[in-house]
Amino acid sequence: MLDQVRAIAAEAHRHLAQATTEQELELWRTRFLGRKGALNELLRGLGTLPADQRPVVGAEANRLKRELEAAFEQRREALVARARAAALEADRVDITLPGRPPVIGTLHPTTQMIRRITEIFASLGFDIVTGPEVEWDYYNFEALNIPPGHPARDQWDTFWITPEDSERPMLLRTHTSPMQVRIMEKQKPPVRVVVPGRVYRYEATDATHESVFHQFEGLAVDEGVTMADLNGTIYTFARRMFGERRRIRFRCDFFPFVEPGVDVAVDCWVCEGAGCTLCRRSGWIEVMGAGMVHPRVLEYAGIDPRRYTGFAFGGGVERFSMLLHRIDDIRLFYGNDIRFLRQFVA
Ligand code: PHE
């Protein structure tokens, strides 16, 4: 029977060397070390041996059992190590290859322009604040002296959050002007703020119209504020924004929340006023709406119009970028074309 033990040993070692997967290893274990495996079958036969041979064969069989268990462990570790080495090899990184240059993003042109605008006003003593894009009809229209049914509403058609005729109608703001009232409700004069932000209009889009764009609003309220202050502020801003030689022009215009109201133009920085394609031969470029805050708006905000006066102005952020960079289609700003955006590396 000792021959049988040796035969099992030889066979087991040979098969173990051929096992290359976990599954094959498991099959091997069942076959040689399992409850019904070769070794146990043999041990079960011990009883048929003469009594003096039993301890010899038994001891030899048990020694083989420990030997095979050790060989099994060794083989398994070898296979795991081999698999790990193969995985590492497959994952190998060639650190001598040239790297991929990291793509560094830039601020969106609109963000850049908002910063440029607000930095100028900040240097003139204006605070920069922002307000809600979802707005009450009250602030967007009513408190700005545009009651329900007022024809000026046609100019600012919007997206309604609630039905237009509900008790407290809510909408997407059509301009940044509602912040005039919100600020004056909270802060008593002197007030000097600039409000950049996103606004919405319900209209067909084309090269010069988007349903989402940005404005900046300015507001200054104090005792004795006059149109001369408005003029000086806009003049300083225009020269910083469009060039030191700029002149400005105020012409009468109508906005329900200012009186008097003006449209502000600067002389064309391309042709110096002679007339070119940018200014459409007029020599002037309209850049803002402005005016003296209407007394009724002051009243809505709880400020006494007999004591205080103020001026307000508002302009389009994308319009500034379009004029300064000669961009001919406003839809480019939010078309997400990386070739467009990449041109505005700050
Ligand atoms: N809110 C006006 C618009 O959207 C601009 C404006 C602001 C006009 C402040 C006068 C004063 O067209």
Side-chain angles (χ1 to χ4, degrees), residues 95-159:
I95 59 169
T96 67
L97 282 174
R100 295 187 193 94
V103 180
I104 307 212
T106 63
L107 292 176
H108 190 276
T110 297
T111 306
Q112 291 186 35
M113 186 53 70
I114 286 174
R115 291 196 179 181
R116 230 175 113 178
I117 293 165
T118 53
E119 268 162 28
I120 295 172
F121 285 112
S123 79
L124 297 176
F126 285 78
D127 293 329
I128 314 301
V129 300
T130 56
E133 293 169 24
V134 176
E135 186 56 283
W136 299 110
D137 177 281
Y138 176 78
Y139 289 110
N140 196 82
F141 290 128
E142 209 163 335
L144 289 174
N145 200 26
I146 312 170
H150 192 286
R153 286 189 178 223
D154 298 346
Q155 193 185 323
W156 289 293
D157 203 358
T158 187
F159 301 97

Side-chain angles (χ1 to χ4, degrees), residues 156 174-175 177 180 201 215 217 255 257-258 289-291 312-314:
W156 289 293
T174 60
H175 48 182
S177 300
Q180 290 185 28
R201 304 240 172 127
Q215 288 188 332
E217 188 85 9
F255 302 94
F257 35 93
V258 285
F313 53 85

Side-chain angles (χ1 to χ4, degrees), residues 10-292:
E11 204 190 353
H13 282 299
R14 191 158 49 78
H15 280 281
L16 186 60
Q18 283 164 6
T20 54
T21 65
E22 207 168 316
Q23 205 184 4
E24 283 167 3
L25 267 184
E26 239 1 271
L27 284 173
W28 180 91
R29 201 225 295 262
T30 317
R31 177 164 167 195
F32 294 100
L33 292 173
R35 211 154 39 80
K36 290 182 178 157
L39 257 180
N40 274 329
E41 288 298 331
L42 183 110
L43 286 169
R44 260 192 285 283
L46 273 188
T48 63
L49 283 183
D52 61 330
Q53 284 186 30
R54 278 182 220 162
V56 185
V57 177
E60 192 55 18
N62 277 320
R63 196 198 52 72
L64 178 61
K65 191 173 176 188
R66 284 191 300 275
E67 180 186 308
L68 291 183
E69 275 165 359
F72 173 82
E73 273 314 314
Q74 223 177 10
R75 180 74 184 148
R76 184 164 55 187
E77 272 160 33
L79 287 181
V80 168
R82 192 199 287 182
R84 193 180 298 135
L88 283 175
E89 184 60 32
D91 264 4
R92 197 187 198 101
V93 174
D94 181 352
I95 59 169
T96 67
L97 282 174
R100 295 187 193 94
V103 180
I104 307 212
T106 63
L107 292 176
H108 190 276
T110 297
T111 306
Q112 291 186 35
M113 186 53 70
I114 286 174
R115 291 196 179 181
R116 230 175 113 178
I117 293 165
T118 53
E119 268 162 28
I120 295 172
F121 285 112
S123 79
L124 297 176
F126 285 78
D127 293 329
I128 314 301
V129 300
T130 56
E133 293 169 24
V134 176
E135 186 56 283
W136 299 110
D137 177 281
Y138 176 78
Y139 289 110
N140 196 82
F141 290 128
E142 209 163 335
L144 289 174
N145 200 26
I146 312 170
H150 192 286
R153 286 189 178 223
D154 298 346
Q155 193 185 323
W156 289 293
D157 203 358
T158 187
F159 301 97
W160 293 90
I161 302 290
T162 64
E164 192 174 344
D165 56 4
S166 60
E167 184 149 347
R168 280 191 83 193
M170 195 180 236
L171 45 75
L172 293 181
R173 66 179 179 189
T174 60
H175 48 182
T176 41
S177 300
M179 279 302 285
Q180 290 185 28
V181 181
R182 281 184 179 271
I183 287 157
M184 289 189 286
E185 277 179 352
K186 280 229 205 84
Q187 187 190 331
K188 295 305 135 191
V191 170
R192 257 182 294 169
V193 290
V194 166
V195 186
R198 190 170 288 136
V199 299
Y200 302 81
R201 304 240 172 127
Y202 178 64
E203 59 190 341
T205 57
D206 62 27
T208 54
H209 296 84
E210 255 288 19
S211 50
V212 181
F213 61 103
H214 295 73
Q215 288 188 332
F216 62 94
E217 188 85 9
L219 174 70
V221 187
D222 203 351
E223 285 182 49
V225 170
T226 71
M227 197 106 181
D229 298 306
L230 171 62
N231 195 300
T233 303
I234 300 287
Y235 183 56
T236 305
F237 171 75
R239 288 164 72 112
R240 297 248 194 107
M241 193 74 203
F242 302 108
E244 282 306 317
R245 287 194 304 278
R246 295 289 61 79
R247 293 179 295 149
I248 59 170
R249 179 190 73 184
F250 280 11
R251 284 199 308 192
C252 284
D253 200 353
F254 175 75
F255 302 94
F257 35 93
V258 285
E259 180 59 36
V262 295
D263 90 60
V264 179
V266 302
D267 62 335
C268 181
W269 51 89
V270 170
C271 62
E272 303 281 338
C276 67
T277 52
L278 182 65
C279 60
R280 290 201 246 110
R281 312 260 148 239
S282 75
W284 293 94
I285 298 173
E286 288 169 22
V287 290
M288 269 190 252
M292 300 305 290

